[in-house]
């Protein structure tokens, strides 16, 4: 979804920003924010987001129909790839059955947003994110500016964003949308190719089709180019295909979208914001969509902030961006993909990760390769201790359901949260975020993230801290065999406690625990009976 950005690209992006193209046509909501970084850097993250800590994401669209994992709509056109071979076997050759035909087959016939949202609420989520479109350029809402290629006009023939929004708000969850379509311009370039070998060598894939080719076809009257966005020269052939590394950031010979494409993306996204009133918009882009050669993203951010003030009386909106510099981090809420930061951040941030692949992948299910509830809980605690939120994607099958293994993971997270969430919600970082062996080897993050799983697993020797009011919550990431915990950061005479410890209890039990505060640390004796889900135990210390 994101990628590292090299220093050379940074300098090129800075020059491009100075020579930005003319503003996209169309007004933004009136208010204090204007579409420039100096104005946007006055943004303050709303308390509801800082207090929520945990959200769940349905990264769900037509690419989940084949149940073959991430970026299917692009990889099915890469001759010889696993997705290509799967596609040929299941559907036929991509010159005859392309991604547009996958959309046509996708019906979402068992989708029940109310049941899923009730489950996610029980799991402890405070906000819910729905995919509004992916790099596949297909809008999952009643899109006035993508009328032929949206979920109300084909495929499910339902307004999925409206359904998700209603269900989330009925369950008291804040609602967000993720927007990924800015990259369709280069992401779908593979659809313009043809096989180099075999019986279909030289036969163009369906990304070359136009409206005129649809006579007598199921898609008659629709223009495939409005989906595939390929009326342009391809990105530099010896680059990385338009979507990896420098080309992801619109450098390195990537084809730059024309003004009409930028205008349409702005109109589509403005329509999404105005029609569904999301509390959060997540952009899967370096900084903002189409940055730095267009100010589309700046205009959308300013519009959302001003609109929030006008409709709610104060700024309640959140806009996520990736790979941000210091000024941009004041203007947006940083999102880190599949990774963690290794220090307490002064500004709120979010990590997004998934228990499997971003798009549903049957192979993950078959190989029992989902993240466990234990792993998710450990990530949540670690992120919250550093002033962050966790946005967790639970992959949804093409038919709109989650499988029973996912259901069990989500339910277990809910059981753990029911006991321990006091130390999660509404908290702030303590003086230090933690102690123990994992902290000492925390890897640095580069680019958009992707340092997840690069340390050894948490154990009872690892502790993470949060605080609220007069309490500090010490999360022990396991159950020590000795039944005793020593917290060095809370030693007597140490720099982090103004007063001596008066009480320690095991959260969720109400039990007062025996402890001694010495020069070596706070020594706590745990109860003899180990609680359920003892892989993370919150000590409430006052």
């Amino acid at each position: 979804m994101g990628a590292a950005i090299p220093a050379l690209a940074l300098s090129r992006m800075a020059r491009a920003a100075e020579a930005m193209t003319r503003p996209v046509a169309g007004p933004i909501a009136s208010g204090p924010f204007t579409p420039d970084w100096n104005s946007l850097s006055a943004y303050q993250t709303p308390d509801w987001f800082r207090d929520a800590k945990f959200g769940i994401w349905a990264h769900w669209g037509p690419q989940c129909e084949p149940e073959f994992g991430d970026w299917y709509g692009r990889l099915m056109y890469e001759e010889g790839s696993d997705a290509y071979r799967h596609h040929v076997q299941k559907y036929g050759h991509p010159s005859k059955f392309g991604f547009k035909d996958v959309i046509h087959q996708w019906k979402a016939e068992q989708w029940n947003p109310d049941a899923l949202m009730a489950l996610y609420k029980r799991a402890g989520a405070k906000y819910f994110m729905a995919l509004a479109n992916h790099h596949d350029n297909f809008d999952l809402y009643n899109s006035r500016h993508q009328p032929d290629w949206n979920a109300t006009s084909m495929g499910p023939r339902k307004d999925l964003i409206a359904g998700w929004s209603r269900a989330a708000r009925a369950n008291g969850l804040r609602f967000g949308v993720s927007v990924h379509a800015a990259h369709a311009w280069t992401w779908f370039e593979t659809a313009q190719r043809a096989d180099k070998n075999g019986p279909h060598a030289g036969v163009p894939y369906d990304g070359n089709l136009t409206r005129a080719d649809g006579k007598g076809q199921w898609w008659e009257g629709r223009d495939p180019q409005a989906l595939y966005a390929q009326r342009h020269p391809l990105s530099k052939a010896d680059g990385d295909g338009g979507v990896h590394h420098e080309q992801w950031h619109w450098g390195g010979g990537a084809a730059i979208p024309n003004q009409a494409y930028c205008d349409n993306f702005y109109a589509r996204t403005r329509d999404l914001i105005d029609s569904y009133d999301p509390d959060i918009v997540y952009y899967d882009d370096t900084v903002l969509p189409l940055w730095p050669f267009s100010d589309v993203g700046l205009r959308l951010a300013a519009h959302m902030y001003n609109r929030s003030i006008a409709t709610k009386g104060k700024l309640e909106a959140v806009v996520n961006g990736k790979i941000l510099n210091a000024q941009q981090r004041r203007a947006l809420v940083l999102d880190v993909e599949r990774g963690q930061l290794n220090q307490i951040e002064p500004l709120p941030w979010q990590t997004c990760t998934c228990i499997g692949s971003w798009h549903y992948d049957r192979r993950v299910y078959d190989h029992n390769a989902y993240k466990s509830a234990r792993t998710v809980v450990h990530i949540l605690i670690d992120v919250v201790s550093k002033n962050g939120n966790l946005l967790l994607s639970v992959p949804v099958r093409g038919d709109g359901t989650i499988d029973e293994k996912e259901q069990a993971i989500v339910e277990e997270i809910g059981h753990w949260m029911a006991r321990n969430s006091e130390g999660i919600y509404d908290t702030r970082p303590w003086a230090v975020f933690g102690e123990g062996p994992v902290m000492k080897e925390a890897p640095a993050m580069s680019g958009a993230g992707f340092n997840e799983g690069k340390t050894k697993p948490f154990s009872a020797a690892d502790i993470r801290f949060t605080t609220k009011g007069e309490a500090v919550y010490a999360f022990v990431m396991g159950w020590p065999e000795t039944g005793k915990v020593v917290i060095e950061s809370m030693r007597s005479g140490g720099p982090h406690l103004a007063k001596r410890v008066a009480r320690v209890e095991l959260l969720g039990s109400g039990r007062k625990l025996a402890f001694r505060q010495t020069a070596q640390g706070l020594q706590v004796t745990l109860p003899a009976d180990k609680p359920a889900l003892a892989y993370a135990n919150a000590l409430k210390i006052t």
Side-chain angles (χ1 to χ4, degrees):
M1 289 169 60
I5 180 166
L8 178 63
L10 280 170
S11 61
R12 183 178 294 113
M13 289 171 67
R15 293 195 299 271
E18 293 173 359
M20 188 176 294
T21 60
R22 66 173 177 83
V24 176
I28 64 173
S30 60
F33 290 96
T34 55
D36 61 85
W37 290 116
N38 285 336
S39 176
L40 293 174
S41 62
Y43 172 77
Q44 296 289 321
T45 308
D47 284 341
W48 76 258
F49 182 81
R50 299 196 68 191
D51 294 340
K53 304 303 182 187
F54 182 44
I56 288 183
W57 189 3
H59 192 280
W60 178 55
Q63 291 180 82
C64 298
E65 175 65 18
E67 298 190 356
F68 207 73
D70 298 340
W71 282 25
Y72 186 88
R74 175 181 169 87
L75 297 177
M76 59 168 278
Y77 295 108
E78 292 191 355
E79 183 182 9
S81 71
D82 289 345
Y84 172 93
R85 290 192 293 268
H86 175 84
H87 188 84
V88 170
Q89 181 179 11
K90 183 171 182 175
Y91 299 113
H93 192 263
S95 63
K96 302 182 185 302
F97 194 106
F99 186 69
K100 70 182 187 314
D101 304 285
V102 173
I103 297 172
H104 184 54
Q105 283 207 352
W106 179 48
K107 303 304 178 187
E109 63 275 12
Q110 295 187 50
W111 178 53
N112 186 340
D114 297 289
L116 287 172
M117 212 62 60
L119 172 66
Y120 299 155
K121 182 178 182 179
R122 293 195 303 273
K126 294 295 187 179
Y127 58 104
F128 173 80
M129 185 82 70
L131 187 78
N133 50 47
H134 197 251
H135 312 315
D136 59 19
N137 217 23
F138 186 74
D139 286 348
L140 301 169
Y141 55 97
N142 187 14
S143 180
R144 290 179 292 175
H145 303 281
Q146 183 72 318
D148 291 338
W149 303 99
N150 75 69
T152 68
S153 67
M154 65 181 304
R157 296 191 178 273
K158 303 170 186 174
D159 189 333
L160 302 180
I161 294 300
W164 284 126
S165 172
R166 180 190 53 78
R169 287 166 168 147
N171 281 276
L173 276 62
R174 295 279 185 158
F175 178 66
V177 292
S178 67
V179 175
H180 310 243
H183 277 280
W185 183 269
T186 51
W187 192 83
F188 257 142
E189 287 184 357
T190 54
Q192 201 173 337
R193 298 176 183 170
D195 282 2
K196 295 181 179 179
N197 305 290
H200 292 91
V203 179
Y205 300 149
D206 76 320
N208 294 272
L209 296 174
T210 65
R211 188 188 305 272
D213 298 309
K215 189 173 182 179
Q217 304 294 322
W218 70 262
W219 48 276
E220 184 172 357
R222 302 173 190 263
D223 184 4
Q225 291 308 307
L227 178 71
Y228 295 122
Q230 291 305 301
R231 290 193 181 97
H232 66 83
L234 297 181
S235 299
K236 184 179 176 182
D238 59 350
D240 49 24
V243 297
H244 297 293
H245 309 301
E246 193 174 348
Q247 287 196 354
W248 180 262
H249 316 293
W250 304 107
I256 301 300
N258 61 26
Q259 192 66 47
Y261 183 87
C262 297
D263 288 352
N264 180 256
F265 178 84
Y266 172 82
R268 286 163 65 184
T269 311
R270 165 80 185 262
D271 184 28
L272 172 70
I273 293 168
D274 292 349
S275 298
Y276 302 92
D277 192 30
D279 299 293
I280 318 174
V281 175
Y282 169 114
Y283 292 115
D284 186 18
D285 300 274
T286 301
V287 186
L288 283 170
L290 306 172
W291 175 263
F293 65 86
S294 168
D295 72 344
V296 160
L298 290 170
R299 293 170 60 79
L300 289 168
H303 174 71
M304 187 163 174
Y305 292 165
N306 288 340
R307 185 180 181 279
S308 178
I309 294 169
T311 58
K312 298 176 173 63
K314 60 179 179 177
L315 182 45
E316 290 279 274
V318 174
V319 175
N320 291 137
K322 299 182 178 181
I323 316 180
L324 308 178
N325 66 27
Q327 184 182 43
Q328 293 160 355
R329 286 199 63 177
R330 294 194 299 272
L332 310 170
V333 174
L334 174 70
D335 181 82
V336 176
E337 183 177 343
R338 288 193 186 270
Q340 285 82 33
L341 301 178
N342 58 7
Q343 63 185 12
I344 295 174
E345 293 295 318
L347 295 172
W349 60 286
Q350 173 181 271
T351 190
C352 63
T353 191
C354 187
I355 63 171
S357 299
W358 291 114
H359 291 99
Y360 190 90
D361 193 332
R362 178 73 186 195
R363 295 167 295 181
V364 177
Y365 172 91
D366 289 340
H367 292 94
N368 293 314
Y370 288 127
K371 283 184 176 71
S372 66
R374 173 191 179 123
T375 296
V376 171
V377 165
H378 283 168
I379 292 172
L380 172 65
I381 296 167
D382 186 52
V383 167
V384 171
S385 75
K386 301 167 186 172
N387 205 24
N389 286 20
L390 171 62
L391 177 61
L392 179 71
S393 178
V394 179
V396 181
R397 301 183 67 180
D399 65 8
T401 63
I402 64 173
D403 64 52
E404 78 281 0
K405 295 178 184 179
E406 295 177 287
Q407 174 103 13
I409 293 166
V410 173
E411 288 178 347
E412 184 176 321
I413 294 168
H415 293 321
W416 185 90
M417 289 288 278
R419 182 183 180 95
N420 296 283
S421 62
E422 178 187 325
I424 298 293
Y425 302 138
D426 308 327
T427 62
R428 297 294 183 264
W430 189 50
V432 293
F433 74 81
E435 57 185 60
V438 170
M439 177 180 172
K440 294 175 182 177
E441 61 175 42
M445 190 196 77
S446 62
F450 306 105
N451 62 354
E452 183 179 270
K454 293 185 178 180
T455 62
K456 60 186 175 183
F458 287 104
S459 71
D462 295 293
I463 298 172
R464 293 292 179 267
F465 301 105
T466 64
T467 186
K468 177 168 52 182
E470 294 296 316
V472 176
Y473 301 89
F475 287 91
V476 184
M477 308 292 245
W479 192 265
E481 293 181 2
T482 62
K484 296 183 183 298
V485 176
V486 178
I487 305 173
E488 295 179 6
S489 304
M490 292 184 168
R491 67 187 182 274
S492 60
H496 306 311
L497 291 177
K499 301 176 183 178
R500 291 189 63 82
V501 172
R503 177 184 173 91
V504 180
E505 66 180 76
L506 183 63
L507 203 61
S509 71
R511 288 186 183 182
K512 184 177 179 181
L513 302 180
F515 68 91
R516 292 177 60 232
Q517 192 174 10
T518 72
Q520 285 69 48
L522 179 65
Q523 301 173 8
V524 181
T525 301
L526 299 177
D529 50 329
K530 182 166 66 173
L533 310 181
Y535 43 69
N537 308 277
L539 303 179
K540 182 178 182 179
I541 300 162
T542 52

